[in-house]
Amino acid sequence: AKSVEVASAAAKACKEKVAAERELEAVRHEMAEMRQREDLADRQRAEEDESQKLSLASLTTDKARVEGERDRHVAAEAAARGEGAQLTLEVSRLKGLLLHAEAKAENAEATAGTALAEARRAREEADAAAVRANAALATERAL
């Protein structure tokens, strides 16, 4: 009877051992699946991180391009303003030259008018002197 109890206890222990081994195997299988899910999640996070880095790099590139365009436009506007200012200075310089030339022409015209008036006066004086000389000659001939 005692050997039956020992055998029965041994059989029960064997069954418990087999059940424990199966449970252990199930736990190991479950842990392996969990590791696979974690690995997959890690890969997905890494891919998402990489995608975000690429998006950020693309945005940074776009921002740099836009800022470069803006800087070129600002430089072009500044150049245009500079050219406008230079043209304004050139127009002012040319206006000054024109005013100077007009003043010279008016001065020359006034000088010519004065010279013409002096020439007329001198001619009139010469004519009067000729008339007086002719009168003197006529008086002398008459005597």
Side-chain angles (χ1 to χ4, degrees):
K2 213 160 200 259
S3 61
V4 173
E5 280 180 27
V6 170
S8 175
K12 185 177 178 186
C14 274
K15 284 181 185 179
E16 287 176 1
K17 179 183 173 194
V18 169
E21 285 175 353
R22 284 184 189 157
E23 191 175 320
L24 181 62
E25 188 59 33
V27 168
R28 284 182 182 156
H29 183 69
E30 197 173 310
M31 286 179 65
E33 285 178 353
M34 192 180 335
R35 277 192 214 112
Q36 286 178 343
R37 285 193 300 268
E38 286 175 353
D39 289 348
L40 178 61
D42 287 346
R43 280 193 302 271
Q44 287 174 342
R45 276 193 298 274
E47 287 173 4
E48 189 175 313
D49 287 349
E50 189 63 28
S51 175
Q52 287 177 353
K53 285 179 187 176
L54 289 174
S55 293
L56 181 60
S58 176
L59 288 174
T60 302
T61 302
D62 289 347
K63 179 182 175 191
R65 182 182 50 77
V66 167
E67 287 176 353
E69 285 293 318
R70 186 196 68 218
D71 291 347
R72 278 191 285 283
H73 286 297
V74 167
E77 288 174 4
R81 283 193 300 273
E83 289 174 9
Q86 189 172 356
L87 289 174
T88 301
L89 287 174
E90 185 66 14
V91 166
S92 295
R93 187 183 71 80
L94 291 174
K95 281 182 180 178
L97 289 174
L98 179 62
L99 289 173
H100 182 70
E102 287 175 349
K104 274 185 160 182
E106 287 174 4
N107 191 19
E109 189 177 317
T111 302
T114 302
L116 184 59
E118 287 175 6
R120 282 186 190 142
R121 203 172 323 122
R123 185 172 153 215
E124 288 171 0
E125 287 175 8
D127 287 345
V131 168
R132 283 192 304 270
N134 284 336
L137 271 177
T139 305
E140 225 178 88
R141 280 187 200 155
L143 290 173

